[in-house]
Amino acid sequence: MILVTGGAGFIGANFVLDWLAHGDEAVLNLDALTYAGNLQTLAGLEGDVRHRFVHGDICDRALLDRLLAEHRPRAIVHFAAESHVDRSIHGPAAFVRTNVEGTFTLLEAARQHWATLTGAEREGFRFLHISTDEVYGSLGPNDAQFVETRAYEPNSPYSASKAASDHLVRAWHHTYGLPVLTTNCSNNYGPYQFPEKLIPLMIVNALAGKPLPIYGDGLNVRDWLYVTDHCSAIREVLARGRPGETYNVGGWNEKTNLDIVHTICGLLDELRPDAAGSYRRLVTHVTDRPGHDRRYAIDARKIERELGWRPAETFETGIRKTVQWYLEHAGWVANVQSGAYRDWVARNYAGREGLQ
């Protein structure tokens, strides 16, 4: 059995589904079910004895100790995190609590659990920490891509909290010997993503005839990674990664935000044409967010060199699959767009007047 934290969130739930699609090893899934956690994503696993869900918080040490003692997982895959930059600007305290305090609590519980193991169980135990490229800071247009040894320069409360968690994971390996692994991934996209993030927000807004808000000039660059490619990378790192090592996971797809939105509009024009005209008419430039990093770009050669992993999807194939998924799952989207979500969108975009 493996323990997955945050397994009802976007990447975590996709990982749980992917893991069980590729084998029969059971998953103990721990999630606090905050606004972005959605058990509906895992509805297909109802009645599957390989999946056990526990509603709980990674800051709850007593719960962690009980679960580890009862189930004795051979690995912990740690997704649980607050992950949205705009939310971190409005309310950083939750990010420090979950990403820093929560990771610390989980590390301590894992260390105690690991100390009880012997022989092959102790040798094979792994703590895999899922992190982000945002910890590395911002790149200029001609700067080299992020490598694993790049100095950390986090610029938002979110990335600072993830950087802190990365440092804790590293320290628990070097101080206590805990066999940890860290992955730093680029922007994920794909099915089941909560519609506060760029790609699902643009799809959902376009279909509703609402403005497509793009921060500033729209030329901020991100590397885009299809979520099932990320899942396959995590499986490889867990199976064969070297304890104490960090692996950058990227899609080799640098795109500006404006390119992303125009691509989505083009696909919707093809797949769900609007009698009012191209969805591009809805693009609206709004006031930029504070401290908006200009460019992220992942150098993923280490994971390819050591583990043989490369993404299977191009951006063109992945984004088409993503748009089609949202068109086919309007019910899932409607169910996650609760009053709390609508209040958040209104608060985040309030006062960001349209720019010419």
Side-chain angles (χ1 to χ4, degrees):
M1 171 179 283
I2 63 170
L3 168 62
V4 173
T5 71
F10 165 50
I11 304 175
N14 272 283
F15 176 78
V16 169
L17 294 170
D18 180 81
W19 180 266
L20 295 177
H22 283 86
D24 290 326
E25 186 173 17
V27 172
L28 179 63
N29 184 350
L30 175 64
D31 197 291
L33 293 181
T34 56
Y35 74 94
N38 185 4
L39 284 179
Q40 186 184 354
T41 303
L42 301 168
L45 298 178
E46 187 173 350
D48 191 327
V49 297
R50 299 173 301 166
H51 179 248
R52 176 170 177 179
F53 179 79
V54 177
H55 182 199
D57 191 332
I58 58 170
C59 291
D60 184 343
R61 177 62 190 273
L63 172 63
L64 294 176
D65 288 343
R66 178 173 64 80
L67 292 176
L68 292 170
E70 179 180 349
H71 297 281
R72 299 181 65 80
R74 70 169 182 89
I76 297 172
V77 185
H78 176 37
F79 293 96
E82 295 285 348
S83 66
H84 192 240
V85 174
D86 288 323
R87 285 182 182 269
S88 79
I89 293 170
H90 287 282
F95 288 72
V96 173
R97 181 184 184 277
T98 299
N99 299 354
V100 183
E101 181 185 342
T103 299
F104 162 74
T105 305
L106 187 62
L107 283 166
E108 281 291 84
R111 182 164 71 94
Q112 178 176 297
H113 168 65
W114 181 60
T116 70
L117 303 178
T118 59
E121 281 190 335
R122 180 178 174 87
E123 182 68 23
F125 181 79
R126 296 292 184 268
F127 183 108
L128 175 48
H129 174 60
I130 312 301
S131 191
T132 173
D133 58 359
E134 297 194 35
V135 298
Y136 298 123
S138 185
L139 292 171
N142 299 314
D143 290 344
Q145 297 163 318
F146 297 137
V147 294
E148 288 81 357
T149 55
R150 180 183 169 92
Y152 277 26
E153 295 179 333
N155 292 319
S156 71
Y158 162 60
S159 59
S161 68
K162 289 297 290 184
S165 70
D166 291 8
H167 290 320
L168 289 173
V169 171
R170 174 185 170 86
W172 259 240
H173 174 70
H174 286 274
T175 301
Y176 304 112
L178 187 69
V180 305
L181 300 152
T182 298
T183 57
N184 293 86
C185 69
S186 55
N187 280 31
N188 279 223
Y189 69 101
Y192 302 111
Q193 189 168 28
F194 195 75
E196 65 183 358
K197 299 295 180 79
L198 177 67
I199 288 176
L201 178 65
M202 295 301 114
I203 296 170
V204 169
N205 275 19
L207 293 173
K210 295 179 179 179
L212 307 181
I214 299 178
Y215 289 145
D217 60 11
L219 299 183
N220 299 74
V221 174
R222 300 293 182 263
D223 175 44
W224 292 90
L225 175 66
Y226 192 64
V227 66
T228 54
D229 278 331
H230 189 193
C231 294
S232 71
I234 294 168
R235 283 190 281 108
E236 290 296 330
V237 171
L238 185 60
R240 299 190 291 119
R242 291 181 291 133
E245 290 294 313
T246 294
Y247 297 91
N248 283 349
V249 185
W252 300 105
N253 291 307
E254 287 189 56
K255 305 285 184 184
T256 68
N257 289 344
L258 196 58
D259 285 340
I260 297 295
V261 176
H262 285 169
T263 299
I264 291 169
C265 289
L267 286 168
L268 289 174
D269 287 341
E270 172 194 342
L271 300 171
R272 187 68 61 81
D274 187 343
S278 173
Y279 291 97
R280 283 201 185 198
R281 74 186 191 280
L282 301 172
V283 171
T284 304
H285 291 266
V286 300
T287 305
D288 208 350
R289 73 182 178 208
H292 195 178
D293 289 338
R294 193 61 168 172
R295 174 176 171 244
Y296 303 144
I298 283 280
D299 183 331
R301 286 180 292 180
K302 178 180 176 178
I303 191 173
E304 180 176 7
R305 181 175 65 252
E306 294 194 8
L307 306 180
W309 178 88
R310 277 190 66 88
E313 301 289 345
T314 66
F315 183 74
E316 290 69 28
T317 60
I319 193 63
R320 179 174 287 273
K321 288 180 179 181
T322 301
V323 171
Q324 288 176 327
W325 188 90
Y326 279 92
L327 289 174
E328 294 166 2
H329 293 82
W332 183 91
V333 174
N335 286 339
V336 301
Q337 289 181 296
S338 65
Y341 166 76
R342 290 192 296 271
D343 291 346
W344 152 251
V345 171
R347 182 170 70 254
N348 186 57
Y349 289 98
R352 295 188 191 273
E353 69 279 3
L355 302 177
Q356 296 300 319

